[in-house]
Amino acid sequence: MLRLLAWVIALATFIAIVVHSPAVVSEAGANPKDPAREDLSRVEYPSLAQVEWEPRFIRPHETLESLYGDDWVTVARFNRVDRRHVYPGMTIKQPADMAAARNYTPMPAIYEPARGHEKYILINITEQWLGAYEYGRLKFSMPAATGKKGTETPTGLFRVSARHRNHTSSLYQTDSGDEQYPMDNAIRFHIDENAVAYWIHARDLPGRPASHGCVGLFDEAMQNRVYGFPDEPVLLDSEKLYDWAVGEEEYEDDTGEHDELEEGPVVEIIGANPVYHPFPINTLKGTGR
């Protein structure tokens, strides 16, 4: 009798676990043991304070393409993240109004300090975004990844002084250690007192500050060459900026090698690294910050 009673209790316990346990995990959330803490809903960008969005947990087998179709580009830019860095278990910001998000940029349409310049590059570290201006008017803009804590990107006024389409880092290697880290479409804007050069160039964009001080832009062609992903490169921002700022229309034939330049565009860098909150910021549900 005692054995039967024990069996009934065990069965009841098992049923309770099966029935009630899913309620515990049904609300998706970022894995607290994830060492990368990739919950992009916690990164605060001032320009999104008045833009409605909600946290979107990425489930197994989901990708930006499967979730958003052709608007995956919109969501990638909205989150300052590339496809290679979107994976199951992380959380991104999902715009409430996709049509409005297609035109999203945190950069001002008119920037007065750039009025007297044919070409002027403004980088807002707080927004992780870059704007290209012609006589003060925004020509185009794009997400950027600036220096992480401890290796922040320098702020101030600089000027482009060199280009190198096929540049590679002299200090850092790829994750595999097989080669120096690629810095395609590199535009040098500063050399510090320790002779360390700072460039705007192609790199991975994980949705937050991540570099050693340089400014990285989308370049899926570089990622395809180095990592074999994505199969069909779409985001080519570093190439777009390179051609506009230091391309052959402005300077002589580009051999792909290092070229010193004179009177390059002004580069202004403002702001400080965005705040990474210990909790999600959900504007759609009105929780604010």
Side-chain angles (χ1 to χ4, degrees):
M1 186 65 179
L2 290 176
R3 182 175 297 177
L4 177 61
L5 181 60
W7 183 87
V8 171
I9 293 173
L11 179 61
T13 302
F14 174 76
I15 292 173
I17 292 172
V18 171
V19 171
H20 295 291
S21 184
V24 176
V25 297
S26 61
E27 292 297 321
N31 178 0
K33 295 183 179 180
D34 181 357
R37 297 179 67 232
E38 296 297 4
D39 183 349
L40 300 185
S41 71
R42 300 181 181 188
V43 185
E44 180 181 0
Y45 298 118
S47 63
L48 295 184
Q50 305 303 318
V51 178
E52 290 190 342
W53 57 269
E54 64 180 340
R56 180 58 163 86
F57 183 78
I58 306 299
R59 301 179 184 277
H61 311 299
E62 290 182 336
T63 64
L64 291 182
E65 296 97 313
S66 69
L67 289 171
Y68 304 109
D70 291 342
D71 270 319
W72 74 262
V73 173
T74 299
V75 178
R77 293 187 181 281
F78 194 78
N79 283 274
R80 291 83 159 152
V81 69
D82 58 50
R83 284 185 281 179
R84 202 172 77 85
H85 285 83
V86 176
Y87 59 88
M90 74 178 295
T91 303
I92 63 172
K93 295 182 176 85
Q94 178 173 278
D97 186 340
M98 197 65 70
R102 291 180 195 129
N103 297 317
Y104 165 76
T105 177
M107 308 306 289
I110 302 294
Y111 190 61
E112 291 296 334
R115 284 244 186 227
H117 300 270
E118 181 181 2
K119 295 185 178 181
Y120 192 103
I121 299 171
L122 175 64
I123 299 168
N124 189 323
I125 294 176
T126 311
E127 292 285 358
Q128 294 291 283
W129 211 274
L130 177 152
Y133 289 84
E134 295 181 353
Y135 296 111
R137 294 184 177 275
L138 185 64
K139 179 72 173 179
F140 57 85
S141 71
M142 54 190 58
T146 63
K148 60 188 176 182
K149 184 177 181 180
T151 57
E152 290 87 350
T153 299
T155 58
L157 283 174
F158 310 96
R159 186 177 287 277
V160 170
S161 58
R163 68 178 180 182
H164 191 179
R165 188 178 288 276
N166 300 316
H167 189 57
T168 58
S169 174
S170 60
L171 300 175
Y172 306 106
Q173 295 182 320
T174 58
D175 294 340
S176 64
D178 294 337
E179 59 182 314
Q180 297 301 114
Y181 191 86
M183 297 169 62
D184 296 14
N185 306 313
I187 302 170
R188 192 182 70 201
F189 64 88
H190 179 51
I191 301 176
D192 69 13
E193 63 277 7
N194 297 314
V196 175
Y198 292 83
W199 303 74
I200 304 169
H201 62 84
R203 85 172 312 277
D204 294 356
L205 264 70
R208 52 183 168 75
S211 80
H212 292 91
C214 288
V215 178
L217 304 176
F218 281 136
D219 194 311
E220 292 188 332
M222 177 275 288
Q223 291 182 320
N224 173 271
R225 186 181 77 247
V226 177
Y227 304 108
F229 181 87
D231 292 334
E232 297 182 5
V234 174
L235 301 174
L236 304 171
D237 287 359
S238 74
E239 180 179 339
K240 180 177 182 177
L241 182 73
Y242 184 95
D243 289 341
W244 173 82
V246 296
E248 292 184 344
E249 288 188 7
E250 297 295 325
Y251 297 93
E252 296 178 358
D253 292 346
D254 189 351
T255 65
E257 298 302 315
H258 180 102
D259 282 335
E260 292 288 322
L261 304 176
E262 295 183 359
E263 297 301 314
V266 171
V267 177
E268 182 181 3
I269 304 178
I270 62 174
N273 281 359
V275 176
Y276 198 113
H277 289 271
F279 52 85
I281 311 166
N282 190 339
T283 62
L284 188 57
K285 295 180 181 179
T287 57
R289 39 175 71 89

